[in-house]
Amino acid sequence: MSIATPSRSAEISPDSSASYRGPLAVVTTLFFMWGFLTCLNDILVPHLKPIFDLNYTEVMLIQFAFFGAYFLFSIPSAKVVDWIGYQRSMVVGLLTMGVGAFLFVPAASAPSFPLFLVALIVLAAGITCLQVAANPYVTVLGKPETASSRLNLTQAFNSLGTFLAPFFGGLLILSAAPKAMEEIRAMAPDALQAYRLQEAATVKTPYVGLGIALVVLAAAIGSFKLPKIPQAQRKVGEKVNDSIWKHPNLIFGAIGIFVYVGAEVAIGSFLVNYFSQPEIGGMTEKLAAGFVALYWGGAMVGRFFGSALLSGARALQMGLASVAGALLFLIASWTGTHVATQGHSGIAAIPWLIVAVLVAARPLFALITAAAAVLAIIAALRGGHLVAKTGLLLGICAICAAALVATSMLSTGQAAMWSIILVGFFNSIMFPSIFTLGVAELGPLTGDGSGIMIMAIVGGAIIPLAQGAIADRVGIHHAFFLPVVCYLYIVFFALSGSKPNSERHARS
C-alpha cells in the first residue's frame, strides 16, 4: 500500500536482501538530534527556576509545555505521514524544530518565561512529527524478528545525544557562580531585569547553533534516497478492515509509554536540584549537570547491551565488554587517586568537568563490568550465544529500576546519588521495547498506532508536573515514589499486557 512519497525514493520490501544500513544510519542521526534537544530541558529547568523565581511546580511547566505538545501534535503528525510519506515528514519535523530553536532568541531577549514555553512547544511539535515518522520506519525497515534490536540500536544514539547535552548545557548555559535566590529577590526592579537579561541570554548562542544544524540536516535528509515501506503505509481515505482499538497490546503499550516517559523525565528533570541538596551531593549546579550526563550515559550503554541481547549476544562480545568496563573502572580509580594527591589547579574548566565525572562514574563502570560478565557466562553456558525475549528483558529492567529508585528514596549521600543515576542503565531498553511490542501486528495501521504511542509521550508533561507538586509539599527526596509506581506498571505490561492478538487468540 503506497502513499505519496518522494519520487526518488526506492521501493524496497523489508523482506528483500537489500542492505538497509545506509538508510538506517541516516535516520539514526535524527534520533541523536531529538535526544540532544530533549535533554537540554534538564538544564533549562535549574537555569530558568531562579531567573523567574519559580517553585518546583511552576518550573515543571517547561516539561509540561514540551511533552504536552506530543499529545496535541501526534495524531496530526500521523496524518501528515499518511499524506506526504515518512521521508518528507522527517524533513517537516526538522524544519519545525529549527523554527522552535530560533524562537529562543526573542524569548531570551524579552526575557519572558511564557515565550520560552512557546518556543519549547514549537520545538516539541517538530520532534513529535519526527518521532511519529522515524520510530515506525525503523521498526519496519527490516525483518520483524529484529525490530526491537534495530530500534534499541537507534535509540542508543538517541541516548548519546542525551549523554552529551548536559555537558553542553552545563558549560554554555548554567552560570559558573549563580546568585542565591535570596540575593535575586533582594534586587531592585532595574537590577533584577538586567540580571534576567544577562542570565537568559546564555541560551541564545547554543539554540541558534542548533537551529542552523537542524536546517542543514533537513536539507540532507530531503536529498537522500530512503526506501519506501509500502506495507506499513496507508493511503489517505483508504478503508482498512481493522481498528487500532482491537489491539490490546497497543492500548497497554500506550499507557506503558505514558508512565515510562513520565518516570524518566521526572527523574532527569530533578537530578540537578536533587544532587545540589546538602544531604545528597551538596554540589554546584554546573557539576551536578555532569552527573546528569551519567544518568543518560547509562541509558546509552544499556541500549547497546539491549540491542546485542535482542539480536543475539555472543559470549566473546560480552566478555570484551566486561574487560572494557573493568579497564574504565581502573582508569577512573587511578585518575581519582591522582587528582586527590595533585589537585586540579591549572586544569581548564571543560577537562576538569570531564575528569570529575569520569572519577565519579566508577559505580557505572562496575555495573557494566558485572552485567557483561554475567551475560558472558550465561551465553557460554548456552552454547556461546544468548537471545533475550523482549518482554522478559523489559520486565527485568523495570523491576531493577523500581528497586533503585526506592533505594534512593530511603538513603542519603552517595548511595542515594548512585542508586538514582544507575536507573538510567535499566531505563535503556524500555522505550524501544514498549514501542515495538505496542505496534506489533498492526500492518497498515502502523502509522496510526505510532501516532497513539507517540501521543502517550504526554506522560513526560503530566508526571513531572505531579512530582513537582509533591516535591513542593513533601520535599524533593521523597517525591520519587511516583516513578516507582510507573515502573511497576511496566512490569505488568512486559509480562502480560504486551501479548499481540496472535498470541492472545492462540491461548484462548
Side-chain angles (χ1 to χ4, degrees), residues 60 62-68 70 257-263 265-266 269 456-465:
M60 281 301 116
I62 290 174
Q63 303 291 23
F64 184 83
F66 188 88
F67 289 96
Y70 283 89
I257 291 290
F258 181 93
V259 297
Y260 161 69
V261 175
V265 173
S269 300
I457 291 177
V458 71
I462 305 298
I463 292 175
L465 192 66

Side-chain angles (χ1 to χ4, degrees), residues 54-75:
L54 306 171
N55 60 29
Y56 285 119
T57 305
E58 291 167 339
V59 79
M60 281 301 116
L61 289 174
I62 290 174
Q63 303 291 23
F64 184 83
F66 188 88
F67 289 96
Y70 283 89
F71 183 81
L72 295 176
F73 297 106
S74 288
I75 298 301

Side-chain angles (χ1 to χ4, degrees), residues 169-193:
L171 292 166
L172 297 182
I173 296 175
L174 291 180
S175 173
K179 293 182 181 295
M181 200 66 251
E182 293 75 16
E183 295 180 77
I184 298 173
R185 288 171 180 166
M187 288 181 175
D190 291 344
L192 178 60
Q193 181 66 8

